[in-house]
Amino acid sequence: MSSERTSRGRVRRRRSHHWYWVAAIPAAFVLWLATLAWLAVASSWEAFGFGANVVNLSLLALGVPFAFLTAYFPLAVYRDADYVNRTSGKWAPNPMRQALLAAPGLVVLVLAGIPALFVGVPPTWPVVAGFVVDVPFAVYYLRERRERVGTPDVPW
């Protein structure tokens, strides 16, 4: 494991915290489903008056975080796979291969987003499409990482 000396002479181990960003993909997806369910229940009450815009309202609230997570996901997977490859000794994932396997969500976001600008589709739909494509690989990567390396310590 790589380490560095602190000012007091103790050895401080470097840890990868990029797996948190990978874990954020399925966590945000579950949050979105819970938000969607809550808005569906709330829309049945006349006081809120969402009507049929429940899905669009939930996408508007979570669109920017979804776009950020979709864009950062391949980089987070690359950095975490690189860290695991250098330090674990138990699992040696190829960081570039893992990042390429994590990239389809970003590709879907871009390829669906460009036509959406001209067709008049709300921009939240391509964002969610790209995000949803990332969820299965994020779950797979986290499961493989946990089974072969274990879950890292929390940073605090």
Side-chain angles (χ1 to χ4, degrees), residues 24-30 32 65-67 69-70 105-106 108-109 126-136:
I25 297 286
F29 182 71
V30 169
W32 177 61
F66 281 4
L69 287 172
T70 302
L106 185 58
V108 167
L109 171 70
V127 169
V128 169
F131 182 79
V132 169
V133 167
D134 283 340
V135 172

Side-chain angles (χ1 to χ4, degrees), residues 68-126:
F68 172 77
L69 287 172
T70 302
Y72 189 69
F73 182 57
L75 182 61
V77 168
Y78 176 84
R79 288 182 174 175
D80 187 65
D82 181 52
Y83 171 80
V84 169
N85 190 13
R86 286 183 289 114
T87 61
S88 80
K90 299 175 185 175
W91 184 38
N94 182 337
M96 186 57 71
R97 182 172 177 255
Q98 298 297 320
L100 289 174
L101 290 172
L106 185 58
V107 171
V108 167
L109 171 70
V110 172
L111 291 180
I114 292 171
L117 293 173
F118 299 110
V119 176
V121 174
T124 54
W125 287 101

Side-chain angles (χ1 to χ4, degrees), residues 20-51:
Y20 294 128
W21 291 106
V22 176
I25 297 286
F29 182 71
V30 169
L31 175 67
W32 177 61
L33 291 178
T35 302
L36 189 59
W38 166 244
L39 287 174
V41 169
S43 70
S44 66
W45 301 328
E46 293 179 17
F48 289 105
F50 296 138

Side-chain angles (χ1 to χ4, degrees), residues 4-24:
E4 62 184 33
R5 296 245 177 234
T6 62
S7 61
R8 296 183 182 168
R10 293 181 305 184
V11 175
R12 186 183 75 172
R13 299 205 184 273
R14 291 185 190 167
R15 294 187 177 118
S16 172
H17 299 296
H18 294 285
W19 77 274
Y20 294 128
W21 291 106
V22 176

